[in-house]
Amino acid sequence: VQFDMNRLRVVQACFWIGEIVLISCPYKVVLRFYNTATRKVETFVPIEEGKVSMYVCGLTVYNDMHLGHARTYIAFDTIRRWFEYLGNDVKFIQNHTDIDDKIIKRALEEKISAEEVANKYIERTTKDLDKLQVKPPTEMPRATDYIEEMIEIISNLISKGHAYVVEPMEGALSSDVYFDVLSASDKFGNLTGQKIEDMEAGARIAVDNRKRHASDFVLWKGAKPGEPNWDSPWGTGRPGWHIECSAMSLSHLGSNFDIHGGGIDLKFPHHESEILQTECHTDHTPMSNFWIHSGHLTVNKEKMSKSLDNFFLVRDVMKEYSAETLRFYFLNGHYRSPIDFSDSNLKESEAAYRRLEGTYRRVKDFSSFGAVNPKELETAVISCSDSFVEAMNDDFNTREALASLFQFSRVVNSCNLDNISLELHTKIINIFESFGNNVLGLFTDEDLDSDFIAKIESLISSRDKARANKDWAKSDSIRDELSTLGIQIEDSPEGTKWRQI
């Protein structure tokens, strides 16, 4: 390994696995990213060298996963992959919230139990994440498996004066328990910068006259007749939303871990509440050294919401576009920046991704080797490696990382690969597979997905009909559309042939 401290340029070490040389990263690097808690970019230093502990808030499983979820989990999957690329052992915890008001409501609508609703959507969303090449977490705990731990935390908070019991809500069978925000006023706002005195009831905080302060939040909810419930010192009930993540993060990662993440919409009140209850329970600050939040997703410049009827489910979008295209679309923006979702933007991403993938597939299938090592290709390998690593170490900038792959692809496409050496060919493939596949999760070993192939064949069939009708304008238009998808066609006596470019 060569490390030029002046230019921070790394010529990466390589090792052989089978016939593919994989780029490893055994050197120490400077990784910097934005910490929401301090509101600045900081150098990452793990609690334990060579190991990274991460907790990312998971899905409330009452419905299929929507695009905002996909954006968040693709972002954190890529962050996890980059830590692993740098040689770290990553312990990645992502939970399932499997008891919640929305789950109970869906159970009543579908006339099944809350547990059956949760099981149904855990199975469906897990399949969606798998299609999006999101790696399974190290552990994926379910909230209902940690009721005992939640009760223990709540009991401790009550004994310390950080929580209090109130009379049952109308229609409930037993008491509720609230966290007393004023008892932890020194901690409130550490993540968001908000002040208790500035909080107004009725905005994002439910109005409840039983609260001591408008910002107090529920830790335990007394059950209503027919609702799922568990026994507790305060009667039968179920946990509040915030306490679930505290119990699961403590159980799997302890009172202090490296990174806590989630979508920006969770910063308040969920993550702020987590900090208060966890740190008051453990008497340890901070619970997480770094907080990372992914940005908002809008649809045609408007916030995605059911009320605006612009709410898109991942599995519905994947009926029209491949999972790889959707993943590429989100990675082609910085994880903290807002992304606007539209059909036109997705079409552009599909075309761009197919061009990049086409270069990779074409070079991978190349089988004629000699002893030629074009200087521009050798330089491009080093340059792409440098720029990709630099981009990812700069707040996980996947947009710039992808730009380095596109620049590399342009150089590869401009060169004559006849008689290229096997060694250089291996290095080229390695760039695509180490960065594009292993880090970004784009170039899988699978063949083209069946939906994409069906789309190509349908376009070719339409073009053949247009040619038969001497509709040359339509024929040319379809050829252009295929080209934007990274498909080159050739008319022959045997029919129309196609290949990726």
Side-chain angles (χ1 to χ4, degrees):
V1 179
Q2 302 173 34
F3 200 123
D4 184 337
M5 290 297 293
N6 294 323
R7 297 180 58 233
L8 291 179
R9 184 177 73 79
V10 179
V11 179
Q12 296 170 300
C14 298
F15 56 93
W16 283 94
I17 296 182
E19 296 182 351
I20 299 295
V21 177
L22 297 178
I23 298 178
S24 64
C25 192
Y27 49 83
K28 291 185 177 181
V29 295
V30 177
L31 170 59
R32 292 171 57 81
F33 54 87
Y34 186 81
N35 185 354
T36 308
T38 61
R39 290 170 281 284
K40 62 183 180 181
V41 175
E42 298 179 345
T43 299
F44 176 71
V45 179
I47 296 170
E48 184 177 353
E49 186 174 356
K51 296 185 177 181
V52 177
S53 48
M54 296 179 64
Y55 185 93
V56 175
C57 289
L59 293 160
T60 299
V61 282
Y62 71 98
N63 199 355
D64 288 319
M65 184 171 61
H66 61 63
L67 289 176
H69 296 138
R71 197 257 169 112
T72 293
Y73 298 127
I74 288 170
F76 282 101
D77 174 66
T78 307
I79 289 170
R80 177 226 187 132
R81 287 167 178 262
W82 186 244
F83 278 121
E84 291 176 339
Y85 171 82
L86 295 179
N88 296 287
D89 178 13
V90 180
K91 188 172 184 180
F92 188 95
I93 309 299
Q94 182 177 309
N95 72 295
H96 278 126
T97 293
D98 60 342
I99 184 64
D100 179 87
D101 289 341
K102 294 176 181 177
I103 295 174
I104 294 172
K105 181 181 178 182
R106 179 56 62 91
L108 292 172
E109 292 172 351
E110 298 189 8
K111 295 181 173 55
I112 57 177
S113 69
E115 182 179 9
E116 288 174 306
V117 170
N119 289 339
K120 172 184 175 179
Y121 289 109
I122 285 175
E123 180 180 358
R124 288 167 67 88
T125 55
T126 298
K127 288 181 179 178
D128 289 344
L129 289 168
D130 183 59
K131 286 183 179 180
L132 292 167
Q133 298 300 315
V134 173
K135 297 175 65 174
T138 310
E139 299 286 346
M140 208 164 195
R142 296 171 61 141
T144 54
D145 291 333
Y146 294 81
I147 301 295
E148 184 177 336
E149 288 82 355
M150 296 178 209
I151 291 174
E152 180 181 342
I153 295 170
I154 296 169
S155 297
N156 185 44
L157 290 172
I158 292 174
S159 69
K160 288 182 174 182
H162 291 301
Y164 56 95
V165 182
V166 299
E167 67 274 12
M169 180 181 289
E170 183 178 353
L173 301 174
S174 57
S175 300
D176 292 349
V177 182
Y178 279 97
F179 185 88
D180 188 343
V181 170
L182 289 178
S183 73
S185 57
D186 59 320
K187 299 180 185 296
F188 188 91
N190 286 350
L191 180 64
T192 62
Q194 298 183 94
K195 297 180 180 179
I196 293 180
E197 55 268 27
D198 295 335
M199 300 304 298
E200 295 182 4
R204 295 192 63 183
I205 304 168
V207 176
D208 189 336
N209 293 329
R210 298 173 302 159
K211 294 182 181 182
R212 295 176 182 174
H213 188 274
S215 296
D216 293 352
F217 54 89
V218 67
L219 298 170
W220 186 264
K221 304 175 73 169
K224 294 180 180 179
E227 289 185 346
N229 62 82
W230 292 262
D231 291 333
S232 80
W234 322 286
T236 58
R238 55 190 170 89
W241 176 33
H242 310 311
I243 196 67
E244 297 176 359
C245 284
S246 288
M248 288 181 277
S249 67
L250 282 167
S251 297
H252 287 274
L253 300 176
S255 60
N256 179 225
F257 51 94
D258 290 309
I259 297 168
H260 196 311
I264 191 66
D265 56 308
L266 297 183
K267 187 169 70 169
F268 183 84
H270 185 53
H271 289 162
E272 188 79 73
S273 301
E274 271 192 76
I275 291 173
L276 294 178
Q277 62 200 13
T278 299
E279 294 184 4
C280 286
H281 168 63
T282 64
D283 294 320
H284 187 285
T285 301
M287 65 173 289
S288 177
N289 290 355
F290 290 81
W291 287 82
I292 301 178
H293 292 92
S294 57
H296 285 297
L297 177 69
T298 59
V299 178
N300 294 320
K301 308 298 182 182
E302 293 183 303
K303 184 178 179 180
M304 187 176 69
S305 70
K306 291 182 179 179
S307 62
L308 294 175
D309 197 27
N310 63 353
F311 193 86
F312 294 97
L313 299 177
V314 169
R315 54 180 46 210
D316 290 338
V317 175
M318 288 195 296
K319 292 175 183 177
E320 299 294 328
Y321 298 94
S322 70
E324 292 84 1
T325 294
L326 191 56
R327 185 174 178 111
F328 173 89
Y329 173 74
F330 287 127
L331 292 178
N332 200 30
H334 192 278
Y335 77 93
R336 286 196 291 116
S337 299
I339 290 182
D340 186 60
F341 181 87
S342 68
D343 191 60
S344 60
N345 288 343
L346 201 51
K347 286 184 183 297
E348 291 177 4
S349 289
E350 180 178 41
Y353 173 65
R354 291 303 179 186
R355 289 196 301 271
L356 189 63
E357 183 193 36
T359 301
Y360 164 58
R361 300 292 182 192
R362 180 172 65 86
V363 178
K364 185 178 181 181
D365 292 341
F366 199 75
S367 59
S368 177
F369 304 108
V372 176
N373 294 301
K375 182 64 176 177
E376 58 268 40
L377 277 179
E378 291 184 321
T379 301
V381 168
I382 296 173
S383 177
C384 181
S385 178
D386 288 352
S387 56
F388 190 97
V389 170
E390 182 179 358
M392 291 300 295
N393 281 337
D394 181 16
D395 199 14
F396 311 109
N397 195 333
T398 55
R399 182 173 176 83
E400 290 300 316
L402 276 171
S404 70
L405 287 179
F406 273 102
Q407 177 58 33
F408 179 69
S409 178
R410 282 191 286 270
V411 175
V412 172
N413 288 332
S414 69
C415 290
N416 184 354
L417 300 183
D418 292 342
N419 295 317
I420 189 176
S421 72
L422 176 60
E423 179 183 6
L424 183 53
H425 176 267
T426 303
K427 289 180 180 179
I428 294 170
I429 293 300
N430 182 53
I431 288 289
F432 284 110
E433 298 199 341
S434 289
F435 294 150
N437 189 341
N438 295 347
V439 175
L440 299 181
L442 293 175
F443 307 127
T444 66
D445 292 330
E446 299 176 0
D447 294 331
L448 290 176
D449 61 274
S450 57
D451 289 341
F452 183 64
I453 292 176
K455 182 176 182 177
I456 295 169
E457 292 178 345
S458 175
L459 287 170
I460 289 175
S461 176
S462 296
R463 179 176 175 273
D464 288 342
K465 291 177 181 177
R467 284 166 54 82
N469 295 329
K470 300 187 185 303
D471 188 347
W472 308 119
K474 183 175 181 180
S475 172
D476 291 344
S477 175
I478 294 174
R479 177 190 286 272
D480 292 341
E481 184 176 354
L482 287 165
S483 180
T484 63
L485 295 176
I487 300 300
Q488 184 178 76
I489 58 175
E490 178 183 346
D491 297 314
S492 70
E494 294 79 26
T496 304
K497 300 179 179 179
W498 63 272
R499 67 180 182 89
Q500 281 191 288
I501 55 175

